[in-house]
Amino acid sequence: AYVQSVTTDSDGKIIATARGFGDSAIDGKVLTLVPLINNAPAVSATDMGEAVTSWRCGSPGDGTTLPLRYLPNSCQGS
């Protein structure tokens, strides 16, 4: 009910768009989750078959447009 869409890019980044909150600060905004391998973003051209070691969630540099104040502490660019 609160997710307009979920897509992934070729490197495994997950892009979720919010909806249904009735708040323009949230609706239509994007949250990103980036797979990391040894603390670096995964790149499909060189990392295929490698295990994802962690995720970075909510970083504006990755395309997140949802204001950080609406994200849990565990999902604020780390």
Side-chain angles (χ1 to χ4, degrees):
Y2 297 107
V3 178
Q4 178 177 319
S5 64
V6 176
T7 59
T8 59
D9 73 7
S10 62
D11 293 323
K13 176 170 58 174
I14 300 169
I15 304 124
T17 304
R19 72 162 185 195
F21 289 89
D23 184 336
S24 62
I26 302 171
D27 291 338
K29 302 297 191 245
V30 171
L31 171 65
T32 58
L33 295 99
V34 174
L36 303 176
I37 298 173
N38 299 320
N39 295 318
V43 178
S44 63
T46 56
D47 294 328
M48 284 301 250
E50 297 292 325
V52 171
T53 55
S54 61
W55 290 84
R56 181 170 58 217
C57 178
S59 174
D62 294 329
T64 292
T65 58
L66 190 63
L68 295 180
R69 69 178 178 262
Y70 295 113
L71 302 176
N73 288 339
S74 63
C75 186
Q76 293 190 2
S78 56

